[in-house]
Amino acid sequence: MADLSIIDAFRESMIGLMKLLNEETAMLKRREFKTLDKLQARKRQLSISFEKHQTEMRSHPEVLEMIPADERTALRELYQRFRCALSDNMLALRSSHDAAERVVSLIMDSVRKQRGITAEEPSFGRPRTGYAAYCPASRAVAAVSKSL
């Protein structure tokens, strides 16, 4: 039979991860990208811990029956706040990713324009990467053939 320490460990891991997600989201919104690297190792550790404790709790559902109804309600509310923090974090990460992708696309378009590449990037087949993405297709094929 499992004990209530499973619930406490789950709650603590969720709170720790939620705090870090909120911190990361705030940093993304402030565009403090250089300091995000410091959070990644801790985020990974907390995510692993949360997953471990969540799995443990799921394998012992009887512990939920052992806690009083008001604590169960508080745990549900905490989990809802956690899901909101996770959702906000995912949206902030996606927004930052999309913004970075737009900047890269603008740079690539500018380089193509400077080099006289007027054709649009093909929408089928393998995308051109590396040197091939910045030069006309005929030069890219010649460069690749030469390297083989």
Side-chain angles (χ1 to χ4, degrees), residues 20-36 39 84-97 99:
L20 187 121
L21 290 172
N22 288 333
E23 183 180 347
E24 183 181 46
T25 301
M27 291 171 82
L28 286 166
K29 288 179 180 179
R30 290 189 309 262
R31 301 178 190 254
E32 295 176 3
F33 303 117
K34 290 182 181 179
T35 55
L36 285 173
L39 290 181
C84 287
L86 183 61
S87 179
D88 288 347
N89 183 259
M90 290 187 324
L91 288 171
L93 285 168
R94 183 64 195 188
S95 175
S96 294
H97 175 269

Side-chain angles (χ1 to χ4, degrees), residues 118-131:
T118 57
E120 286 292 318
E121 185 88 17
S123 60
F124 57 89
R126 279 180 69 185
R128 296 186 323 172
T129 59
Y131 178 75

Side-chain angles (χ1 to χ4, degrees), residues 24-130:
E24 183 181 46
T25 301
M27 291 171 82
L28 286 166
K29 288 179 180 179
R30 290 189 309 262
R31 301 178 190 254
E32 295 176 3
F33 303 117
K34 290 182 181 179
T35 55
L36 285 173
D37 287 344
K38 296 174 186 174
L39 290 181
Q40 293 310 305
R42 183 77 178 128
K43 184 178 180 182
R44 179 170 161 63
Q45 289 173 337
L46 288 170
S47 297
I48 290 169
S49 174
F50 174 75
E51 182 180 7
K52 176 186 146 202
H53 294 300
Q54 185 178 38
T55 301
E56 181 73 17
M57 197 174 78
R58 283 184 179 162
S59 64
H60 297 287
E62 68 275 7
V63 297
L64 289 173
E65 300 302 321
M66 298 168 63
I67 62 174
D70 60 331
E71 285 186 41
R72 201 171 322 142
T73 300
L75 188 61
R76 274 193 207 104
E77 290 170 358
L78 178 63
Y79 189 71
Q80 285 300 94
R81 288 196 318 268
F82 172 78
R83 297 287 299 175
C84 287
L86 183 61
S87 179
D88 288 347
N89 183 259
M90 290 187 324
L91 288 171
L93 285 168
R94 183 64 195 188
S95 175
S96 294
H97 175 269
D98 289 349
E101 201 169 274
R102 282 191 301 273
V103 169
V104 169
S105 180
L106 287 171
I107 292 169
M108 288 178 65
D109 289 345
S110 175
V111 170
R112 282 191 188 106
K113 186 176 179 180
Q114 287 175 353
R115 294 191 179 178
I117 302 170
T118 57
E120 286 292 318
E121 185 88 17
S123 60
F124 57 89
R126 279 180 69 185
R128 296 186 323 172
T129 59

